[in-house]
Amino acid sequence: MADLPLLENISNIYKRMSHAAMRAGRNPDDIKLIAVTKTVSIEMVRQAVDAGLRIFGESKVQEAIKKVMSDELRVTSNKIKWHLIGHLQKNKAKAAVELFDMIQSVDSLELAETLNKQAEKLGKIQEVLIQVKLSVNDDKHGILKENLISMIGQVIKLKNLDLKGLMTIPPYFENPEDARPYFRELRELRDNINELRVTGYALRELSMGMTNDFEVAIEEGATMIRIGTAIFGERKLEEAL
Ligand SMILES: *Cc1c(COP(=O)(O)O)cnc(C)c1O
């Protein structure tokens, strides 16, 4: 049984997601909720599965291994999907390809090539997003927009990667409206790439929006929102795990 606050949190988020979608004239079914479970206990993740959530996001490979391989979650593993949303070091690429249904944080061509090699060895087609860094003066990872088209041109040649779209993490703002230009810019980048036919197929996914700003992200075209705090409450310190 999922506990009550969790169920309430989830149904609130779905309500807010549909309202934001309707405001923008979008179909709420076009937006996926990724439940971000970094620092969240296996028991809570299990409850979130019982409550109906199906896609989970982790930012670290080590932490994800513990969860994906746990007895509590392995039994349901055919029903749930795991996405990597944090920076990946190349030496963990093999484990990442083994674990994750989608890697949202591809932030260099070298990483893409390493993932492609590992996927080839496993006979897997690895779904990926390219992480775009839209704010030059912060320390987040990601491809600068000036380099995006040439990066995509290279990534689509990698036979064992399936590029689905773009991901971004804007700077944190108290007022979510301040994040809107970043979300709009990511959508415009995707639309531009599709118009220029860089890939030979249409990129669909825009992974953008977190607890503080997901409604604005949906209004600007997000197809995946990544929500931790609004589902599971404030995160414990990392050491608590
Ligand atoms: C932690 C994290 C989130 C979730 O953040 P909340 O504000 O708790 O919803 C989303 N995306 C990434 C990349 C994260 O690291």
Side-chain angles (χ1 to χ4, degrees), residues 34-38 57-59 84-87 104-105 131 140 167-169 172 207 209-214 225-231 233-235:
I34 318 290
V36 176
T37 50
K38 63 185 185 218
E58 281 284 340
S59 43
L84 181 65
I85 59 172
H87 175 64
Q104 296 203 0
S105 46
Q131 182 173 347
K140 295 205 183 64
M167 180 270 228
T168 199
I169 311 171
Y172 178 84
S207 173
M210 315 189 347
T211 290
N212 190 49
D213 54 18
F214 71 88
I225 57 170
R226 310 177 306 265
I227 308 290
T229 310
I231 299 177
E234 290 293 332
R235 271 183 292 280

Side-chain angles (χ1 to χ4, degrees), residues 45-69:
V45 181
R46 177 66 225 217
Q47 290 191 23
V49 175
D50 290 345
L53 296 186
R54 289 294 176 264
I55 314 179
F56 295 92
E58 281 284 340
S59 43
K60 291 183 184 150
V61 172
Q62 279 319 108
E63 190 180 336
I65 288 176
K66 284 192 217 152
K67 285 175 187 153
V68 179
M69 301 300 175

Side-chain angles (χ1 to χ4, degrees), residues 156-214:
I156 52 164
K157 289 185 203 149
L158 302 171
K159 294 275 182 290
N160 287 72
L161 297 189
D162 182 8
L163 177 63
K164 294 292 193 189
L166 307 175
M167 180 270 228
T168 199
I169 311 171
Y172 178 84
F173 298 104
E174 284 292 323
N175 179 358
E177 277 301 322
D178 294 339
R180 188 183 295 276
Y182 295 88
F183 298 140
R184 183 171 297 165
E185 188 168 19
L186 196 73
R187 171 178 31 96
E188 288 170 353
L189 283 170
R190 180 203 59 186
D191 292 348
N192 188 239
I193 289 158
N194 287 341
E195 268 162 37
L196 294 173
R197 299 176 191 276
V198 178
T199 49
Y201 61 94
L203 294 183
R204 177 179 188 279
E205 305 296 347
L206 291 175
S207 173
M208 54 189 198
M210 315 189 347
T211 290
N212 190 49
D213 54 18
F214 71 88

Side-chain angles (χ1 to χ4, degrees), residues 28-218:
D29 293 342
D30 291 341
I31 302 142
K32 293 195 190 83
L33 173 59
I34 318 290
V36 176
T37 50
K38 63 185 185 218
T39 80
V40 172
S41 71
I42 290 168
E43 167 58 21
M44 277 299 267
V45 181
R46 177 66 225 217
Q47 290 191 23
V49 175
D50 290 345
L53 296 186
R54 289 294 176 264
I55 314 179
F56 295 92
E58 281 284 340
S59 43
K60 291 183 184 150
V61 172
Q62 279 319 108
E63 190 180 336
I65 288 176
K66 284 192 217 152
K67 285 175 187 153
V68 179
M69 301 300 175
S70 67
D71 290 337
E72 294 91 325
L73 293 173
R74 242 181 336 155
V75 282
T76 55
S77 63
N78 58 338
K79 286 195 291 189
I80 62 182
K81 290 194 186 302
W82 293 92
H83 289 198
L84 181 65
I85 59 172
H87 175 64
L88 176 62
Q89 286 161 337
K90 268 174 281 164
N91 61 3
K92 298 200 176 117
K94 178 170 185 278
V97 171
E98 285 167 357
L99 280 178
F100 291 103
D101 299 283
M102 178 180 276
I103 296 173
Q104 296 203 0
S105 46
V106 175
D107 55 9
S108 74
L109 182 58
E110 285 146 288
L111 177 62
E113 286 168 346
T114 309
L115 290 170
N116 183 61
K117 255 182 226 141
Q118 294 299 342
E120 192 180 348
K121 279 187 198 158
L122 284 171
K124 176 182 183 183
I125 304 295
Q126 177 67 57
E127 294 189 353
V128 297
L129 303 181
I130 292 177
Q131 182 173 347
V132 185
K133 176 178 164 127
L134 295 174
S135 159
V136 184
N137 26 347
D138 75 24
D139 56 0
K140 295 205 183 64
H141 294 273
I143 301 291
L144 295 174
K145 63 183 174 192
E146 304 83 89
N147 303 330
L148 186 58
I149 288 185
S150 79
M151 163 88 172
I152 290 176
Q154 298 297 313
V155 170
I156 52 164
K157 289 185 203 149
L158 302 171
K159 294 275 182 290
N160 287 72
L161 297 189
D162 182 8
L163 177 63
K164 294 292 193 189
L166 307 175
M167 180 270 228
T168 199
I169 311 171
Y172 178 84
F173 298 104
E174 284 292 323
N175 179 358
E177 277 301 322
D178 294 339
R180 188 183 295 276
Y182 295 88
F183 298 140
R184 183 171 297 165
E185 188 168 19
L186 196 73
R187 171 178 31 96
E188 288 170 353
L189 283 170
R190 180 203 59 186
D191 292 348
N192 188 239
I193 289 158
N194 287 341
E195 268 162 37
L196 294 173
R197 299 176 191 276
V198 178
T199 49
Y201 61 94
L203 294 183
R204 177 179 188 279
E205 305 296 347
L206 291 175
S207 173
M208 54 189 198
M210 315 189 347
T211 290
N212 190 49
D213 54 18
F214 71 88
E215 287 153 304
V216 175
I218 289 172

